[in-house]
Amino acid sequence: MSDLDLSGAHVAILGWAGSHPKQLRGVGRFYRRRGVRAVIPHSATVWRAMGTPDGWQREGRLVVDALEEAAPDSLVVHLFSNGGFWTWVAALEAMTPAMRSRISAVVMDSAPGVPERIDPLYYAHHSTQAMVPIALAALGRPPAESHPLVTPAIWAFMRFYFHVSPRQIAWAERSTTVTIETGEWDHLLLYSAADRLVPPHFVEAFAHRLRVAGRGVESTRWEESAHVRHMIGHRSEYFGRIAEFLGPRVRSIPPTSATL
């Protein structure tokens, strides 16, 4: 793992719903120690992203603005959960062809957990699982996946919101297709059989669709680690797998600036 040289590359780290910059520092540190020129972290403002018709598009535009300012010659993307995935899809749609041509590889942790057709119960259940920890944090409560009062309230709202946000739902349904049909870079999928928010069959179905489309894809599946917790419970294997994947895909670049 210490032989990995990412000199000159940039890394965009797209956090999960409710993540904070300090929670992304560990993965950023891994890349900095391997010579990247810059780490660009982004955590979506989830209430805005999910609550407005163009919310995810705004998040994607923020990422693209940061990338355009950084002007990477080679870009690695490391994303977490559906929050990071949807931010990435929106960014892909907002990128210029010149920017897309500089993407070297994409690492997906605990994502994507998106069926090709989203029904109201699925949307309410999974959106609630993602939003409850955020709501509890805002209330000053300890993080948890469920709460006897907060969970039913958010579930009812999300069940209602499904019917008043057809644009958002349609965009979420086609998000995996956008990812598969855009670009030529390879993907590394890191996931777990024990993930309650993103069940493994969603990730495995996405991997199959990538392969059918002729895209390069590798994956590592754990059996017991929780959602976005693989780098904590399997730290050495987690970062070793990323290093193994990126080694032949990211070229070392001398320290010069690029113009997009």
Side-chain angles (χ1 to χ4, degrees):
M1 186 163 65
S2 59
D3 294 334
L4 179 64
D5 182 7
L6 301 178
S7 299
H10 288 63
V11 177
I13 303 176
L14 309 181
W16 60 91
S19 62
H20 300 286
K22 67 179 182 179
Q23 294 174 303
L24 305 178
R25 287 176 188 165
V27 68
R29 193 176 303 118
F30 163 80
Y31 287 110
R32 287 191 179 93
R33 287 174 175 171
R34 280 142 191 92
V36 298
R37 187 179 304 170
V39 172
I40 302 165
H42 181 84
S43 295
T45 303
V46 178
W47 294 108
R48 180 180 64 193
M50 296 185 68
T52 59
D54 63 344
W56 288 112
Q57 285 72 21
R58 291 185 190 181
E59 298 296 334
R61 185 68 248 177
L62 290 172
V63 172
V64 172
D65 289 346
L67 291 174
E68 288 176 345
E69 183 176 353
D73 291 296
S74 176
L75 175 65
V76 173
V77 177
H78 190 136
L79 64 86
F80 293 88
S81 192
N82 284 340
F85 176 74
W86 281 327
T87 301
W88 173 234
V89 175
L92 272 180
E93 292 182 318
M95 281 181 185
T96 64
M99 178 70 80
R100 290 194 196 115
S101 72
R102 297 176 184 186
I103 299 169
S104 298
V106 175
V107 177
M108 295 188 177
D109 181 322
S110 306
V114 188
E116 293 185 58
R117 290 292 176 266
I118 300 174
D119 64 57
L121 293 179
Y122 170 89
Y123 182 82
H125 176 70
H126 287 272
S127 297
T128 299
Q129 282 189 312
M131 299 302 288
V132 165
I134 300 172
L136 291 174
L139 295 170
R141 301 281 185 174
E145 293 184 354
S146 64
H147 185 276
L149 298 178
V150 175
T151 295
I154 293 179
W155 190 96
F157 174 80
M158 290 300 178
R159 181 69 172 79
F160 164 78
Y161 187 71
F162 176 91
H163 295 287
V164 298
S165 57
R167 178 178 168 184
Q168 277 245 15
I169 301 304
W171 181 83
E173 288 178 335
R174 68 182 180 84
S175 61
T176 52
T177 299
V178 170
T179 310
I180 291 166
E181 294 181 351
T182 304
E184 299 179 350
W185 50 86
D186 294 344
H187 293 76
L188 172 63
L189 309 180
L190 305 169
Y191 66 107
S192 171
D195 194 329
R196 297 176 59 187
L197 185 59
V198 177
H201 65 270
F202 284 127
V203 180
E204 289 162 359
F206 177 70
H208 174 72
R209 292 178 62 199
L210 282 169
R211 294 186 181 102
V212 169
R215 301 291 295 274
V217 57
E218 297 182 12
S219 63
T220 295
R221 166 174 162 158
W222 290 280
E223 297 302 314
E224 80 295 336
S225 54
H227 187 67
V228 300
R229 302 284 290 182
H230 321 315
M231 67 177 172
I232 297 174
H234 301 275
R235 184 177 183 83
S236 179
E237 184 181 2
Y238 183 91
F239 288 115
R241 188 68 184 89
I242 293 170
E244 179 185 0
F245 172 73
L246 293 179
R249 293 173 173 84
V250 183
R251 67 190 187 281
S252 177
I253 300 171
T256 59
S257 298
T259 302
L260 295 176

